Amino acid sequence: MTTELPLADGPPPRERADAARNRAKVLAAAERLFAAGDPAAVTMDDIARAAGIGRGTLYRRYPDRASIARALLDEHERALQERLLRGDPPLGPGDPAAGTGPAPAERLAAFYAAMVELLETHVHLVLGAETGEARYRTGAHAFWRLHVAHLVREAGRPDPEVLADQLLAPLAPELFRHQRERGITPARITAGLAALAHGALGQGWAEVGPAGAGPGRRSRHSPGAGRGGTGPV
C-alpha cells in the first residue's frame, strides 16, 4: 500500500514497577469480567474489586471502562495493522510498483476475514471499547477507514469517503455477536463479506445513479454491459 496509515496510538510510556503491577491486575480482571457476560454491564467498581485495588488507583490510570477495553484490544489491533501495512498479500500490499499487488477486492475480502478472526476471539473486548458513536472516535477505526477508503480509490469507485463507511458497517461488533448467537458460523460470515467485497470493488460492479434517477453509467467490466443484459449492482 502506498498510502501512509497511522498506527492507532504511540508507544506506551515507561512506568514504575508498582504501577505496572496494578495495570496488569486491572487488565486481567477486566478481561475476565468482559468475557463472563455483557461487557456493557461491567462497571468500574466491578473492575476495581476484581483487581483488588482502590477506585482512586483505578481512575488515575483509566478514566472509564472503554479505556480499559481499548488497552486490552490495542495489542491485537496493532498486529493486524502491521499485517495490513507490511504483511503478505492479499491482506498486505504485495509490490504494487511491480504490478504484483492483489486487486482491491481481494485485499478487502482478506481484511474482512482478518476482522472476523479478531471479532471471534475478542468481541467481548470490542463491545467493551466500542459502543455506539464512540466506535468512530477510536484510532483503530480511523485506521480501518483509511485502509478501506484507499482500496475504494484504487478500485476507481466514486465517493470513497461514503463507501468506506458503508463497507465497514457490517463489521459492527453488535451485528457480529447477533449473528453468532443465531448460530451463523464465522466461515459463513466471512463468505458473505467476501461476496460483498467482490460485489463492491470487483469487476462485476456497476455504478448506479441517485435514488429515483435510474441507473447511471455501467462499468465496462459489468456482466451484461453492452449486451442488453442487467449486471449486478
Side-chain angles (χ1 to χ4, degrees):
M1 183 189 303
T2 57
T3 300
E4 288 294 325
L5 298 180
L7 292 178
D9 296 292
R14 297 185 64 179
E15 58 187 343
R16 302 188 318 269
D18 59 335
R21 286 193 297 271
N22 284 336
R23 177 178 58 83
K25 288 192 289 186
V26 166
L27 295 180
E31 184 151 27
R32 290 195 304 271
L33 291 170
F34 288 146
D38 182 0
V42 177
T43 68
M44 293 292 276
D45 285 346
D46 293 334
I47 295 171
R49 281 194 297 271
I53 63 172
R55 293 175 74 249
T57 300
L58 177 62
Y59 277 100
R60 275 195 295 274
R61 176 120 197 177
Y62 300 105
D64 51 33
R65 181 193 65 220
S67 64
I68 299 174
R70 286 234 51 84
L72 286 164
L73 267 178
D74 183 69
E75 178 182 349
H76 309 297
E77 290 179 333
R78 281 176 177 275
L80 178 51
Q81 290 166 8
E82 182 66 23
R83 291 167 64 200
L84 286 169
L85 288 170
R86 286 173 277 274
D88 294 333
L91 184 60
D95 188 1
T100 60
E106 294 172 350
R107 292 204 68 195
L108 181 59
F111 169 66
Y112 278 150
M115 286 297 293
V116 169
E117 290 178 6
L118 187 148
L119 287 168
E120 177 67 12
T121 307
H122 304 295
V123 69
H124 57 287
L125 299 181
V126 183
L127 286 166
E130 303 177 2
T131 56
E133 292 187 5
R135 172 179 305 115
Y136 308 117
R137 296 191 292 270
T138 65
H141 183 83
F143 185 100
W144 311 142
R145 190 173 185 275
L146 282 171
H147 175 63
V148 174
H150 169 75
L151 297 179
V152 172
R153 290 188 185 93
E154 194 174 45
R157 301 297 183 259
D159 210 344
E161 296 298 309
V162 171
L163 190 53
D165 287 332
Q166 292 166 336
L167 290 172
L168 284 171
L171 295 175
E174 297 89 350
L175 173 61
F176 180 82
R177 184 173 65 174
H178 173 68
Q179 290 179 314
R180 294 293 286 117
E181 288 174 348
R182 288 168 51 205
I184 299 176
T185 65
R188 286 180 63 195
I189 296 172
T190 299
L193 290 169
L196 174 62
H198 286 278
L201 302 187
Q203 291 187 343
W205 172 86
E207 183 178 339
V208 177
R217 65 173 178 82
R218 191 180 303 278
S219 165
R220 63 186 177 89
H221 299 297
S222 298
R227 300 193 301 272
T230 302
V233 295

